Amino acid sequence: DAMVIQNPRYQVTQFGKPVTLSCSQTLNHNVMYWYQQKSSQAPKLLFHYYDKDFNNEADTPDNFQSRRPNTSFCFLDIRSPGLGDAAMYLCATSRQTGRGTEAFFGQGTRLTVV
Amino acid sequence: DAKTTQPNSMESNEEEPVHLPCNHSTISGTDYIHWYRQLPSQGPEYVIHGLTSNVNNRMASLAIAEDRKSSTLILHRATLRDAAVYYCIPGNSGNTPLVFGKGTRLSVIA
């Protein structure tokens, strides 16, 4: 059974039209991450939550926001998508133990901007 | 974040062992060494992690140099399903998130 679920798998949005990607987890993990992955590149960390504490990467554009209303759900909001935001968006979770930990990734949402 | 150096690509014959190297010379004393892989059109998946001692699991083995500045992921018998990009990621101890480097693209030839 899938433990990190991303919906939808494919999302098409119009240039400049706000879009929200969702992620849910059944693992009760403390940490949730959002990554952006463009074609033939490594996943790039956008931000992560440690419980309710939000941690934004310094180079994440302001156009990208996130919400975590509860432990199970996390959302990625792109306020005004540009053509350069077309990518695979990956959600991941982990339980931070301070002893090295396994992260679990969703299948990703592929975003197309038209 | 500790910087990593991995070969861009490697090739292996099916059913042969594969040794995937990673240099992480700036690793801190408390950083674990994690390996993830990403199969085509899928999210990354955990392979193995270790701190100082060599580690084995059902997927692979991890050999860590004594000075911890390098490590090697060992696939004992490569299969076509092992074709993926393999990422070596130091860190994620305490509250540090996973930061991916460029990884090694492994091709497996039948």
Side-chain angles (χ1 to χ4, degrees), chain B residues 23-104:
Chain B
N23 287 321
H24 31 77
S25 58
T26 61
I27 193 170
S28 77
T30 57
D31 281 347
Y32 283 74
I33 299 154
H34 300 77
W35 283 80
Y36 283 76
R37 72 179 185 180
Q38 188 171 21
L39 280 64
S41 302
Q42 295 190 26
E45 64 174 349
Y46 168 85
V47 177
I48 200 166
H49 78 277
L51 184 61
T52 56
S53 303
N54 295 344
V55 185
N56 300 294
N57 67 18
R58 63 175 179 81
M59 289 180 70
S61 296
L62 176 60
I64 301 172
E66 194 171 335
D67 63 6
R68 296 197 349 110
K69 294 184 176 182
S70 65
S71 62
T72 302
L73 180 71
I74 302 165
L75 307 179
H76 295 286
R77 290 182 66 205
T79 69
L80 297 177
R81 293 170 56 185
D82 291 322
V85 179
Y86 286 79
Y87 297 99
C88 159
I89 309 175
N92 204 24
S93 58
N95 192 24
T96 56
L98 291 172
V99 177
F100 288 78
K102 294 183 178 179
T104 297

Side-chain angles (χ1 to χ4, degrees), chain A residues 37-89:
Chain A
Q37 186 173 27
K38 296 187 176 180
S39 181
S40 300
Q41 296 184 19
K44 178 180 181 296
L45 181 66
L46 295 174
F47 23 60
H48 72 282
Y49 278 93
Y50 189 102
D51 292 327
K52 293 185 177 181
D53 292 334
F54 178 69
N55 298 272
N56 196 34
E57 293 300 296
D59 57 354
T60 298
D62 293 339
N63 197 26
F64 291 84
Q65 304 286 321
S66 185
R67 296 170 283 136
R68 189 179 185 185
N70 54 52
T71 300
S72 301
F73 287 87
C74 196
F75 300 97
L76 171 61
D77 301 310
I78 308 178
R79 292 191 297 186
S80 181
L83 297 179
D85 296 328
M88 175 75 82
Y89 289 88

Side-chain angles (χ1 to χ4, degrees), chain A residues 95-110:
Chain A
R95 189 195 313 277
Q96 285 287 12
T97 64
R99 296 179 60 189
T101 186
E102 177 179 354
F104 294 82
F105 283 79
Q107 293 279 53
T109 293
R110 183 166 296 282

